């Protein structure tokens, strides 16, 4: 959430910053700005997109040192003045910031009393004024930044430059990510590797409390007590090509279409044909320890949480261990009881969602054993966990999650198989699941081939004021994720309910104006689901059924038929038509599919 880029080196910083900001736009896109240091600070910031900023940056913005920002507003509405960077009154210090400063009001009052003139409503601006006050007496910019940060309560990823020190950038992290990029006689920093991979694949992740000084010829990192820290650079294996739309109209459609390959990548090398188990080397647990858990608790936010619900179901069915999922954002605030025989699993595509990270830290503090199911290698959540499973789904750029969602569900199937086979899951059932998993990529291709039909259905239903999504047991998280996808990218109101609960309240909403998307797999609950469809139709409700067979026209107006897999794995396949439905509904309603209003992809604030 909020994108930061910084550059110091022999090249002109402005085009590098603008390119980087474009790559980070999914983190926030309501306003953007850059500042270049060259005989004083030159700044441009605009309300709007990075493209608007690029058009507003004059060619005379030359110089090899600069910082840039793309914003997702927290304090103060999106506007030119509230956009970052923020300068000190004497225009010596410039700051970009991601995170929230909780004591900003108090600091602002003190600074104003001391003569600082605030131009914006942001919490960030206190930082530029604070640093400007300390830098006068400090021996170095890092000392001034450190002194200012000591007075801050809250979270931050920041980049700071000083007009009087034209060869260096100082960056610091507490709760919001900062990654350094190491180039040839040039250094970069950003809130995400996405902004760096075009220039370098050698990166260093800062830890919370760390600060770094970047100069063209290298970098130094320091802990909060000013002691220098030693960091090993990491090589990222995602390159710039992963961040292109690859000829698709939107990242979202590209990412939906990639699922046969991304699911195959999550499975690669992990299925064992001899013992019908899953190899998950990253779990860092031997068989005895794996057997010792009596409960599994899964946490994540948004789509990650819904994929966790699918995961809980898989673990209960295959491993017969009680499992449930809960939003990480709720979990961390209710002072959870942490038990030694519970296995905690944190899910995150980005690996940096603040609520999930804070929940993991709370668990670790209480001695909980936490595994991460994470897409971004080396990310904060991955580093914080005791072990885990990487998705290998490649970067997900569109704000709405699709391929990370299915890969997470697949990773859970692997984990459930693993937990099951060290317990009571028979070799025959293990083999059945392994074979089912192997069929998934081909079956996803078959579902993607239904796109023209789903597009037509999306056009038919997109103009409904509201839609109901229902599913039972395995189908319920599928319905929840389907409703989430529809509302977040098309802004059509959608509600998800367990089909079994419909008659206990929401059936009152059903009528011609509120169509229902019903998830109806051919499982042991088929008859119950068909009864629900009958109840909806009897109240004049229209039904779009997603399942394994064409329904009697008396029960459904439309049907999307997906291939069958093993019952336990069906939710993975049933999710995909709902992604296409939401995508085409959003397109039909001319929404900004990849950057839905009010949202951002990596939510690094509470
Ligand atoms: C945001 C995104 C969602 C995502 C959630 C969790 O709300 O808009 O698409 O599911 O964050 O993100 P994570 O990176 O932790 O999976």
């Amino acid at each position: 959430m909020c994108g930061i880029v910084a550059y110091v080196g022999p090249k002109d910083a402005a085009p590098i910053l603008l390119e980087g900001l474009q790559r980070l736009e999914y983190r926030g896109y309501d306003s953007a700005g850059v500042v270049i240091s060259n005989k004083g600070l030159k700044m441009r910031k605009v309300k709007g997109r990075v493209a608007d900023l690029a058009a507003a940056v004059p060619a005379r913005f030359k110089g090899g040192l600069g910082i840039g920002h793309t914003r997702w507003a927290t304090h103060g509405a999106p506007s030119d003045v509230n956009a970052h960077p923020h300068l000190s009154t004497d225009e010596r210090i410039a700051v970009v910031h991601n995170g929230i400063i909780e004591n900003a009001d108090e600091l602002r009052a003190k600074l104003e009393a001391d003569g600082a003139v605030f131009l914006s409503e942001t919490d960030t601006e206190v930082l530029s004024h604070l640093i400007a006050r300390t830098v006068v007496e400090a021996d170095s910019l890092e000392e001034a930044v450190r002194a200012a940060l000591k007075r801050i309560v809250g979270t931050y990823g920041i980049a700071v430059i000083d007009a009087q020190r034209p060869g260096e950038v100082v960056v610091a992290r507490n709760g919001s990510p900062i990654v350094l990029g190491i180039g040839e006689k040039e250094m970069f920093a950003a809130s995400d590797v996405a902004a760096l991979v075009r220039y370098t694949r050698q990166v260093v992740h800062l830890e919370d409390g760390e600060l770094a000084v970047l100069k063209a010829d290298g970098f130094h990192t320091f802990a909060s007590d000013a002691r220098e820290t030693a960091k090993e650079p990491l090589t990222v294996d995602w390159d710039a090509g992963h961040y292109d739309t690859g000829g698709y109209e939107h990242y979202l459609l590209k990412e939906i279409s990639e699922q046969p390959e991304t699911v195959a990548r999550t499975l690669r090398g992990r299925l064992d044909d001899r013992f019908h188990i899953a190899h998950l080397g990253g779990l860092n647990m031997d068989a005895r320890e794996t057997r010792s858990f009596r409960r599994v608790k899964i946490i994540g936010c948004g789509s990650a949480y819904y994929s966790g619900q699918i995961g809980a179901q898989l673990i209960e069915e295959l491993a017969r261990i009680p499992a449930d999922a809960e939003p990480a954002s709720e979990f961390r605030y209710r002072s959870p009881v942490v038990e030694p025989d519970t296995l905690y699993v944190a899910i995150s595509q980005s690996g940096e969602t603040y609520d999930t990270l804070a929940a993991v830290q709370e668990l670790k503090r209480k001695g909980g054993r936490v595994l991460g199911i994470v897409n971004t290698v080396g990310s904060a959540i991955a580093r914080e966990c005791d072990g885990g499973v990487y998705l290998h789904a490649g970067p997900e750029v569109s704000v709405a999650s699709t391929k990370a969602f299915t890969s997470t569900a697949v990773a859970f199937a692997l984990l459930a198989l693993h937990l099951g086979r060290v317990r009571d899951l028979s070799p025959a059932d293990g083999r059945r699941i392994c074979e089912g998993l192997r069929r998934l990529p081909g079956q996803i291709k078959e579902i993607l081939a239904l796109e023209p039909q789903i597009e037509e259905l999306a056009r038919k239903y997109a103009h409904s004021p509201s839609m109901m999504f229902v599913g039972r047991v395995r189908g319920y998280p599928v319905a929840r994720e389907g409703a989430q996808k529809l509302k977040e990218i098309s802004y059509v109101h959608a509600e998800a309910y367990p089909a079994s609960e419909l008659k206990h309240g929401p059936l009152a909403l059903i009528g011609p104006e509120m169509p229902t998307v019903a998830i109806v797999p051919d499982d042991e609950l088929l008859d119950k689901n068909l009864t629900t469809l009958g109840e909806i139709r009897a109240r004049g409700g229209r039904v779009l059924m997603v399942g394994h067979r064409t329904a009697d026209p008396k029960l459904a107006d439309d049907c999307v038929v997906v291939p069958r897999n093993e019952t336990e794995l069906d939710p993975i396949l049933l999710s995909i038509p709902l992604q296409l439905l939401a995508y085409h509904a959003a397109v039909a309603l001319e929404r900004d599919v990849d950057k839905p209003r009010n949202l951002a992809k990596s939510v690094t604030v509470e």
Side-chain angles (χ1 to χ4, degrees):
M1 182 159 289
C2 294
I4 291 177
V5 194
Y7 175 78
V8 53
K11 299 186 190 129
D12 266 334
I16 294 172
L17 299 180
L18 289 167
E19 214 277 331
L21 291 179
Q22 218 127 35
R23 304 276 167 193
L24 296 183
E25 226 180 3
Y26 63 83
R27 303 178 67 93
Y29 34 85
D30 57 42
S31 51
V34 289
V35 67
I36 304 294
S37 174
N38 188 1
K39 300 192 192 85
L41 302 183
K42 299 183 175 61
M43 182 166 77
R44 221 17 132 250
K45 39 192 207 169
V46 297
K47 177 179 172 193
R49 299 285 165 92
V50 175
D52 302 315
L53 174 67
V57 170
R60 66 188 157 74
F61 272 35
K62 300 261 179 238
L65 174 70
I67 55 179
H69 189 268
T70 173
R71 179 170 186 248
W72 185 85
T74 59
H75 288 60
S79 69
D80 291 357
V81 277
N82 286 337
H84 298 213
H86 292 285
L87 301 184
S88 55
T89 310
D90 60 3
E91 299 195 357
R92 179 174 166 182
I93 298 293
V95 179
V96 291
H97 165 230
N98 175 11
I100 291 181
I101 299 171
E102 285 163 18
N103 58 341
D105 289 348
E106 182 196 322
L107 289 170
R108 186 180 180 121
K110 282 193 191 140
L111 287 159
E112 277 175 338
D114 193 27
V117 180
F118 278 75
L119 301 177
S120 76
E121 301 156 87
T122 64
D123 52 340
T124 303
E125 200 181 338
V126 300
L127 271 173
S128 50
H129 295 297
L130 270 180
I131 298 168
R133 270 159 179 66
T134 47
V135 80
V136 187
E137 313 224 311
D139 290 330
S140 62
L141 179 59
E142 79 252 32
E143 191 186 315
V145 171
R146 196 175 293 117
L149 291 177
K150 282 213 176 91
R151 299 182 58 187
I152 296 290
V153 178
T155 56
Y156 51 80
I158 54 166
V160 185
I161 57 175
D162 174 357
Q164 294 187 15
R165 288 186 177 84
E168 68 183 61
V169 189
V170 171
V171 295
R173 168 194 167 124
N174 182 39
S176 300
I178 292 283
V179 192
L180 314 184
I182 306 164
E184 278 288 316
K185 299 261 175 289
E186 55 184 359
M187 282 294 301
F188 307 81
S191 39
D192 191 319
V193 291
L196 306 177
V197 287
R198 211 158 210 262
Y199 308 104
T200 176
R201 313 258 292 265
Q202 291 293 104
V203 304
V204 163
H205 292 271
L206 287 197
E207 301 293 334
D208 277 348
E210 270 186 328
L211 175 150
V213 181
L214 317 185
K215 295 188 179 162
D217 58 2
F219 69 99
H220 292 276
T221 54
F222 304 91
S224 52
D225 60 3
R227 256 185 314 118
E228 186 154 0
T229 48
K231 308 286 285 187
E232 265 307 301
L234 206 101
T235 306
V236 286
D237 55 4
W238 295 349
D239 62 28
H242 282 104
Y243 293 93
D244 290 336
T245 47
Y248 286 92
E249 203 177 329
H250 297 102
Y251 281 106
L252 191 70
L253 187 57
K254 177 192 176 211
E255 288 160 7
I256 291 172
S257 309
E258 277 174 351
Q259 288 174 111
E261 296 90 62
T262 51
V263 162
R265 280 210 297 273
T266 306
L267 291 172
R268 190 161 302 150
R270 287 172 164 164
L271 292 175
D272 176 307
D273 286 323
R274 197 145 80 96
F275 295 107
H276 314 298
I277 54 170
H279 285 301
L280 297 170
L283 297 187
N284 303 330
M285 284 191 296
D286 62 22
R288 186 165 306 191
E289 206 179 344
T290 312
R291 275 189 72 91
S292 68
F293 296 110
R294 296 166 63 87
R295 236 172 83 83
V296 178
K297 179 87 194 176
I298 300 164
I299 53 171
C301 295
S303 296
Y305 158 53
Y306 298 136
S307 64
Q309 279 203 309
I310 294 182
Q313 181 73 34
L314 277 160
I315 289 170
E316 285 207 351
E317 283 197 82
L318 298 180
R320 302 304 294 153
I321 307 174
D324 74 318
E326 182 177 341
S329 44
E330 287 287 293
F331 177 80
R332 60 178 282 230
Y333 282 119
R334 61 172 182 80
S335 188
V337 179
V338 175
E339 290 166 310
D341 53 2
T342 298
L343 175 64
Y344 295 89
V345 185
I347 309 162
S348 181
Q349 187 286 128
S350 60
E352 51 173 78
T353 297
Y354 188 76
D355 279 319
T356 311
L357 177 62
V360 172
Q361 288 167 341
E362 174 77 359
L363 281 166
K364 296 291 302 278
R365 206 178 54 75
K366 292 180 167 176
R369 173 84 185 210
V370 196
L371 295 182
I373 295 190
V374 175
N375 194 29
T376 308
V377 175
S379 56
I381 294 171
R383 283 178 286 136
E384 197 74 43
C385 289
D386 298 296
V389 184
Y390 278 124
L391 300 179
H392 302 304
E396 194 180 64
V397 176
S398 194
V399 166
S401 183
T402 50
K403 63 176 180 173
F405 178 85
T406 45
S407 276
T408 305
V410 168
F412 268 115
L414 291 169
L415 180 63
L417 177 66
H418 182 80
L419 293 173
R421 289 289 291 122
V422 296
R423 291 169 162 246
D424 301 325
L425 189 73
S426 68
D429 274 330
R431 178 191 196 136
R432 186 174 65 75
I433 296 301
C434 286
E435 285 171 357
L437 285 167
R438 284 214 174 84
R439 287 200 298 278
L440 286 175
Q443 291 179 316
I444 295 174
K445 262 192 210 144
E446 289 175 42
I447 299 172
L448 295 176
L450 303 175
E451 190 180 343
Q453 183 212 348
I454 300 171
E455 182 177 353
E456 205 170 296
L457 291 170
R459 283 210 214 100
K460 174 173 167 184
Y461 287 99
H463 299 278
S464 316
S466 183
M467 286 184 80
M468 181 69 79
F469 284 69
V470 295
R472 219 175 268 259
V473 188
R474 295 180 203 98
Y476 177 48
V478 176
R480 293 189 87 183
E481 172 61 7
Q484 167 97 332
K485 282 285 84 78
L486 186 71
K487 57 189 155 195
E488 68 183 329
I489 60 172
S490 76
Y491 320 149
V492 173
H493 172 253
E495 193 163 349
Y497 246 86
S500 54
E501 280 285 298
L502 207 58
K503 56 186 173 299
H504 297 297
L507 198 56
L509 294 169
I510 296 294
E513 289 303 296
M514 193 183 210
T516 299
V517 176
I519 313 304
V520 187
D522 230 356
D523 59 11
E524 71 280 9
L525 299 166
L526 178 67
D527 291 340
K528 303 247 175 274
N529 278 320
L530 294 180
T531 306
T532 305
L533 299 194
E535 289 163 5
I536 295 169
R537 290 297 298 250
R539 273 114 193 130
R542 290 184 289 155
V543 172
L544 162 57
M545 181 173 125
V546 178
H548 295 133
R549 53 166 93 173
T550 311
D552 179 338
K554 280 200 231 82
L555 293 180
D557 300 79
D558 296 288
C559 292
V560 175
V561 180
V562 305
R564 263 171 239 261
N565 197 301
E566 300 306 321
T567 341
E568 298 91 332
L569 303 178
D570 280 334
I572 301 167
L573 295 172
L574 291 163
S575 303
I576 291 166
L578 305 190
Q579 299 171 344
L580 286 168
L581 185 73
Y583 172 74
H584 284 292
V587 171
L589 295 169
E590 296 180 7
R591 306 302 191 212
D592 192 347
V593 175
D594 286 325
K595 298 188 180 79
R597 68 183 182 200
N598 306 342
L599 301 179
K601 188 155 185 72
S602 295
V603 184
T604 53
V605 294
E606 294 183 71

